[in-house]
């Protein structure tokens, strides 16, 4: 489980195809590095398991299903990805409950610089089947970043990112037509399921 508060950026250093997936190697530097083999790390919002590591290089295996559901199949060498280690029982829940189970992908429709460059507004196209889980002023994880929904109209989501988020995540690299991973709020999914019984 994660909070959606991205710890650091990683850089893709190698990608290797397998019969049914992809091996992804990411270079990064975690403060107070306690990552062991088998640890869960959110990579652009997708929960992956560390299969090997050497100093600052971490290797993950992404199955064909993971590649099908996320933007990980679009990664290239030198791309930047958002990283967050799984939470501890003592972790502050500054974001919201993020499982790292991506529901689908969205497309950046537009990017606007506001407030003298201090704020970036994004409009994101989301799959229609996810809209029932998204509410204004609710939470959504976009590439693993816990964000507040400013508005939702039909299948268009409005997000406004503050400087802290822009500086610490790969959101500054998003542009028109960028593909992002989406995870809706788990609480919304449970409530809808309960009410449909």
């Amino acid at each position: 489980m994660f909070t959606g508060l991205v710890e650091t950026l990683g850089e893709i250093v190698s990608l290797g195809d397998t019969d049914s997936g992809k091996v992804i190697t990411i270079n990064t530097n975690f403060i107070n590095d306690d990552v062991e083999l088998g640890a869960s790390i959110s990579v652009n919002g997708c929960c992956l398991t560390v299969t090997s590591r050497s100093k600052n290089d971490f290797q993950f295996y992404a199955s064909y299903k993971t590649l099908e559901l996320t933007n990980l199949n679009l990664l290239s060498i030198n791309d930047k990805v958002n990283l967050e280690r799984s939470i501890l029982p003592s972790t502050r829940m500054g974001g919201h409950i993020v499982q790292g189970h991506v529901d689908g992908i969205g497309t950046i429709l537009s990017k606007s610089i506001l407030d003298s460059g201090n704020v970036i507004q994004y409009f994101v196209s989301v799959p229609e089947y996810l809209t029932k889980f998204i509410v204004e002023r609710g939470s959504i994880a976009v590439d693993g970043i816990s964000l507040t929904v400013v508005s939702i109209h039909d299948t268009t989501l409005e997000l406004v990112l503050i400087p802290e988020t822009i500086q610490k995540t790969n959101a500054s690299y998003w542009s028109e037509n960028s593909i992002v991973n989406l995870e809706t709020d788990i609480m919304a999914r449970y409530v809808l399921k309960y009410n449909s019984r």
Side-chain angles (χ1 to χ4, degrees):
M1 195 164 67
F2 308 93
T3 66
L5 300 183
V6 173
E7 289 185 79
T8 189
L9 284 174
E11 183 174 307
I12 303 298
V13 293
S14 73
L15 296 163
D17 291 323
T18 69
D19 288 341
S20 59
K22 196 179 286 281
V23 175
I24 303 169
T25 305
I26 299 171
N27 180 270
T28 195
N29 186 15
F30 284 108
I31 296 171
N32 302 321
D33 186 352
D34 61 354
V35 178
E36 299 177 354
L37 294 184
S40 294
I41 295 182
S42 170
V43 179
N44 271 3
C46 180
C47 181
L48 296 178
T49 301
V50 177
T51 56
S52 72
R53 69 163 297 184
S54 59
K55 194 158 186 191
N56 294 331
D57 283 353
F58 299 83
Q59 196 168 85
F60 305 89
Y61 171 76
S63 73
Y64 75 93
K65 196 63 178 175
T66 299
L67 299 174
E68 183 182 299
L69 294 172
T70 71
N71 66 5
L72 298 186
N73 63 327
L74 303 175
L75 292 174
S76 301
I77 304 300
N78 299 324
D79 278 355
K80 303 295 188 291
V81 291
N82 295 321
L83 301 174
E84 180 190 356
R85 289 172 287 186
S86 57
I87 64 173
L88 300 169
S90 60
T91 302
R92 288 189 178 91
M93 282 297 296
H96 71 285
I97 297 171
V98 177
Q99 294 183 296
H101 302 162
V102 174
D103 293 312
I105 56 174
T107 304
I108 303 293
L109 298 174
S110 66
K111 173 181 181 177
S112 302
I113 310 297
L114 307 175
D115 194 18
S116 302
N118 289 322
V119 170
I120 300 180
Q121 177 191 51
Y122 292 98
F123 285 95
V124 186
S125 173
V126 301
E128 186 175 1
Y129 66 89
L130 292 183
T131 58
K132 61 187 171 189
F133 303 115
I134 302 171
V135 296
E136 291 188 4
R137 293 176 298 284
S139 296
I140 190 167
V142 182
D143 266 4
I145 308 166
S146 175
L147 296 173
T148 299
V149 176
V150 175
S151 68
I152 175 93
H153 299 288
D154 296 322
T155 59
T156 300
L157 176 69
E158 180 187 1
L159 304 168
V160 175
L161 276 64
I162 63 172
E164 180 78 2
T165 304
I166 296 162
Q167 292 166 10
K168 287 193 170 181
T169 69
N170 70 357
S172 60
Y173 297 95
W174 299 345
S175 59
E176 190 175 328
N177 296 321
S178 289
I179 304 298
V180 291
N181 292 327
L182 303 172
E183 181 185 335
T184 57
D185 190 346
I186 184 66
M187 301 303 285
R189 298 205 299 269
Y190 279 128
V191 167
L192 195 67
K193 177 77 172 178
Y194 179 80
N195 287 333
S196 66
R197 295 187 319 162

